[in-house]
Amino acid sequence: MFQKILIANRGEIAVRVIRACRDLGVKAVAVYSDFDRNSLHTRLADESYYIGDSPATESYLKIERILEVGRESGAEAVHPGYGFLAENATFAAAVVDSGMTWIGPSPEAIAAMGDKVSARKLSESAGFPPVPGTLEMITSPSQIVEFANEHGWPVAIKASAGGGGKGMRVVHSEEEAEQAFISARREASSYFGDDSVYLERYIARPRHVEVQVLADLHGNAVYVGERDCSCQRKYQKVIEETPCPSISDETRRSLGEAALKLVRACGYQSAGTVECLLDEDDNFYFLEMNTRIQVEHCVTEEVYGVDLVASQIKIAAGEPLPFSQADLVGRGHAIECRINAEDPTQGFMPTPGTITSWQMPQGPGIRVDAGYEAGSEVGQFYDNLVAKIIASGSDRQQARARMLRALQETVIEGVATNIPLHKAILTHPDFIDAKHYTRFIEEELDLRSLKGHPTKPVLPHPGYQERQVVVEVGSKRFDVKVYLPESAQPVGAGLSRPLSTVNKYKPKVPASVAPTRAATGTAPGVVTAPMQGTIVQILVEEGQQVAAGDALCILEAMKMENQVVADVSGRVKELKCKVGDTVGAGDVLVILDSA
């Protein structure tokens, strides 16, 4: 076994790998950016090394700097986690060339399966038919139109270098093709460092089912059940579960056996996931193979009792799998909810800010994997996943009931989260009856009734009272609640004595608050940034006439692109931003002349 492992990642997955290392008696080395200097993974590791500025392109995607840390720390192996460089064959090869062990499949297998077009060719040759699509990269919007004319609209543009819905766009018409092509390539480049994209036929009402595989260096390979990941929003997984509740045992076996054929065809060694789409007739198609650990690996661990991260490490160290296919029998059911810093009542706007209160659920059948805690800052530079809550039970109904109880206990303050969305999904009849599909949230769920998660923080002890306070930040005014000792005496408009007590207990106003127009006093036509982020595209020019609701620019925050739209009809009087600008919440971006 290794003595020291470098973890080339951050947040929740870095914490998860650190804990696996501790269980194995291995020292863990963390890397961190400026933003993550005081983060949980940095403090939990045995050693931590600074690697660069906050943007991922200046830190977590800097191969040479990460290799330098490997040499400086004396690490014997590198675990890449997921995202960033986890499926980068060049990085894997560089790790091997440096003398360290890569905890993952070979660079050749990553290249074969990590490149989605190459993977489609290989899966077809292995007898696992893919979703109809292109076998080459597309380089212009005209190719989208040509493909759609042959296969029909809509079509899906997908990033070749990675998955998880990043860089994916569904195109419904020729008019959408150019903008979707540009946007997909830009997002793919930002997230994976590679802007290559390809096309697939878009299947209506599909279910997304994936098979977990493990293969060692001695020729042994098994599948560790399957997961249903059909509950998605904009192709980003929201809730995952094991086992899939909507397929037969025969389909389950067929999926597992097909996945193992693919594993053997590409000489795969490590943990991996073969993702599939199932149509309404239970036909399944190869979608992609993720050559890394998955965000949702936890539900498999809870049902099968296998530590998948530790298994990755043991395989890389040369240990054979300690079980056969016959040994892997699932027990019960597990459901995972991804808790994201986003506001479902405001169009799922990302909500970077400081977490002022953090209370995670406990009790039978509950597990929490997180990279944040009270006082942590959720920034614009990385994705918006703050925690994963996993509930397990003897059957699906018990797991679902425990998850609802866990969500009720969870308190995260300072940033809005998607907990209200999870509650709505888990209580919807279609989810209860396992009739949901990948567009279920957009097409079946009524989001108008969503209410924000309770805002009252858990107080340190009894004897506190709630007060309303008006806080001014620049030209903006916010109504906020503060909780003060009952002995504090009111003075004037909502403030209390002593002032030191107010300062101590007054919650921070999140940088991403999007107050109502009445609260801000901003005049119609003055379009401001709804959150901190980076301007990646300007869609209008000065003098152009626009209608209310038209997109003016695109703001990237938390690895997601967000359209900033006109609030009124009028002429673009002045552009106050340019591509590449980093802006804060409330910064003026565009001024419209609505007269």
Side-chain angles (χ1 to χ4, degrees):
M1 181 47 64
F2 308 111
Q3 298 300 307
K4 186 182 289 188
I5 292 174
L6 167 63
I7 303 163
N9 218 296
R10 66 175 299 278
E12 167 268 323
I13 188 58
V15 171
R16 173 69 183 89
V17 179
I18 289 169
R19 288 173 174 157
C21 288
R22 290 268 166 81
D23 290 347
L24 295 170
V26 177
K27 289 186 176 181
V29 178
V31 293
Y32 64 90
S33 66
D34 278 325
F35 184 86
D36 282 333
R37 190 175 296 275
N38 298 310
S39 65
L40 183 60
H41 82 276
T42 301
R43 290 183 284 108
L44 281 181
D46 296 285
E47 301 173 31
S48 296
Y49 290 79
Y50 172 74
I51 54 171
D53 293 341
S54 299
T57 53
E58 301 301 319
S59 50
Y60 297 105
L61 293 175
K62 299 288 281 187
I63 291 177
E64 285 305 317
R65 177 56 188 141
I66 293 172
L67 294 177
E68 285 176 11
V69 170
R71 291 189 290 269
E72 293 171 21
S73 66
E76 302 155 86
V78 174
H79 194 299
Y82 56 71
F84 294 137
L85 296 168
E87 295 179 281
N88 188 305
T90 300
F91 180 49
V95 168
V96 173
D97 291 343
S98 74
M100 293 184 286
T101 298
W102 172 256
I103 300 177
S106 68
E108 292 76 19
I110 294 175
M113 303 309 296
D115 181 299
K116 307 311 175 189
V117 173
S118 172
R120 288 170 57 82
K121 294 177 181 178
L122 189 59
S123 71
E124 199 158 37
S125 67
F128 195 156
V131 177
T134 59
L135 294 178
E136 304 295 338
M137 307 301 177
I138 62 168
T139 57
S140 73
S142 63
Q143 292 172 282
I144 300 173
V145 178
E146 291 172 9
F147 182 83
N149 288 339
E150 179 180 352
H151 295 278
W153 300 96
V155 299
I157 305 174
K158 291 192 169 184
S160 177
K166 301 296 185 182
M168 179 175 174
R169 297 291 184 274
V170 176
V171 190
H172 296 85
S173 66
E174 182 175 350
E175 290 71 28
E176 298 177 8
E178 183 174 2
Q179 180 59 37
F181 175 70
I182 293 170
S183 179
R185 293 186 67 181
R186 182 173 55 236
E187 190 170 88
S189 177
S190 173
Y191 203 79
F192 305 113
D194 185 338
D195 67 358
S196 302
V197 294
Y198 67 101
L199 293 173
E200 279 184 356
R201 192 182 80 194
Y202 185 70
I203 298 176
R205 297 177 68 89
R207 285 162 292 159
H208 186 131
V209 181
E210 60 190 30
V211 182
Q212 176 68 57
V213 296
L214 288 172
D216 64 21
L217 306 180
H218 307 277
N220 305 307
V222 296
Y223 62 91
V224 193
E226 83 292 332
R227 297 182 287 261
D228 186 289
C229 305
S230 300
C231 201
Q232 303 177 7
R233 179 184 167 273
K234 289 190 174 179
Y235 318 107
Q236 297 286 305
K237 297 170 186 173
V238 176
I239 295 179
E240 304 99 351
E241 56 185 313
T242 292
C244 174
S246 61
I247 62 173
S248 66
D249 288 341
E250 180 182 357
T251 301
R252 181 171 286 114
R253 283 192 299 272
S254 296
L255 273 172
E257 290 167 2
L260 289 185
K261 287 181 182 178
L262 188 58
V263 164
R264 295 187 176 102
C266 67
Y268 197 88
Q269 298 163 331
S270 190
T273 304
V274 179
E275 302 202 350
C276 316
L277 287 183
L278 275 72
D279 64 21
E280 293 181 279
D281 297 320
D282 273 1
N283 299 309
F284 57 84
Y285 302 92
F286 171 78
L287 185 61
E288 62 186 17
M289 184 173 187
N290 290 308
T291 55
R292 53 171 167 78
I293 198 72
Q294 292 277 91
V295 177
E296 60 272 19
H297 72 276
C298 316
V299 289
T300 299
E301 292 182 331
E302 295 303 308
V303 169
Y304 284 88
V306 176
D307 186 326
L308 294 172
V309 177
S311 295
Q312 284 184 296
I313 296 171
K314 291 178 179 179
I315 289 170
E319 296 185 17
L321 291 176
F323 37 72
S324 66
Q325 191 65 61
D327 297 325
L328 294 168
V329 179
R331 291 176 174 83
H333 200 96
I335 299 173
E336 174 182 287
C337 286
R338 299 190 187 194
I339 310 302
N340 297 332
E342 60 189 12
D343 190 346
T345 69
Q346 298 293 325
F348 293 90
M349 182 185 298
T351 57
T354 300
I355 297 173
T356 57
S357 183
W358 176 271
Q359 177 178 296
M360 289 295 105
Q362 300 179 26
I366 299 301
R367 165 181 169 180
V368 177
D369 281 22
Y372 293 85
E373 57 189 346
S376 294
E377 186 176 354
V378 183
Q380 62 148 319
F381 304 102
Y382 316 113
D383 66 40
N384 60 357
L385 178 68
V386 296
K388 302 184 308 192
I389 299 176
I390 303 94
S392 55
S394 59
D395 56 25
R396 188 172 187 257
Q397 172 52 28
Q398 185 181 54
R400 189 180 69 88
R402 284 177 168 174
M403 180 61 80
L404 284 168
R405 181 249 298 169
L407 293 172
Q408 195 64 34
E409 291 180 10
T410 303
V411 176
I412 301 174
E413 298 298 335
V415 298
T417 72
N418 61 345
I419 287 178
L421 172 67
H422 287 297
K423 291 179 179 179
I425 293 169
L426 290 164
T427 55
H428 193 281
D430 285 357
F431 183 86
I432 294 172
D433 295 338
K435 294 179 179 178
H436 56 293
Y437 55 99
T438 57
R439 295 280 297 171
F440 159 73
I441 292 176
E442 288 93 342
E443 296 178 358
E444 308 294 341
L445 203 64
D446 184 0
L447 302 180
R448 294 173 298 178
S449 61
L450 293 185
K451 295 181 179 179
H453 198 52
T455 56
K456 187 174 181 179
V458 176
L459 300 175
H461 53 72
Y464 282 71
Q465 60 184 315
E466 179 183 300
R467 298 280 181 82
Q468 288 291 131
V469 177
V470 177
V471 177
E472 291 190 2
V473 180
S475 61
K476 296 179 171 28
R477 304 177 73 216
F478 302 89
D479 289 324
V480 300
K481 293 177 181 178
V482 296
Y483 298 87
L484 304 173
E486 290 178 350
S487 59
Q489 299 298 313
V491 177
L495 295 179
S496 304
R497 279 200 183 97
L499 185 59
S500 59
T501 305
V502 177
N503 291 338
K504 181 177 181 181
Y505 292 103
K506 182 175 66 177
K508 289 185 178 180
V509 179
S512 60
V513 167
T516 62
R517 184 163 301 285
T520 66
T522 301
V526 178
V527 181
T528 60
M531 71 204 83
Q532 64 188 108
T534 303
I535 301 296
V536 296
Q537 190 175 8
I538 304 292
L539 301 174
V540 295
E541 57 187 27
E542 291 182 357
Q544 181 176 334
Q545 197 72 25
V546 297
D550 284 354
L552 304 176
C553 60
I554 295 177
L555 179 72
E556 183 186 79
M558 295 174 142
K559 295 296 180 181
M560 296 175 64
E561 293 193 351
N562 307 272
Q563 287 189 346
V564 179
V565 302
D567 60 336
V568 296
S569 297
R571 181 179 59 84
V572 179
K573 182 178 181 181
E574 186 178 1
L575 292 174
K576 304 289 286 186
C577 62
K578 61 182 184 299
V579 173
D581 283 356
T582 298
V583 299
D587 287 357
V588 177
L589 305 181
V590 181
I591 298 177
L592 302 174
D593 185 350
S594 57

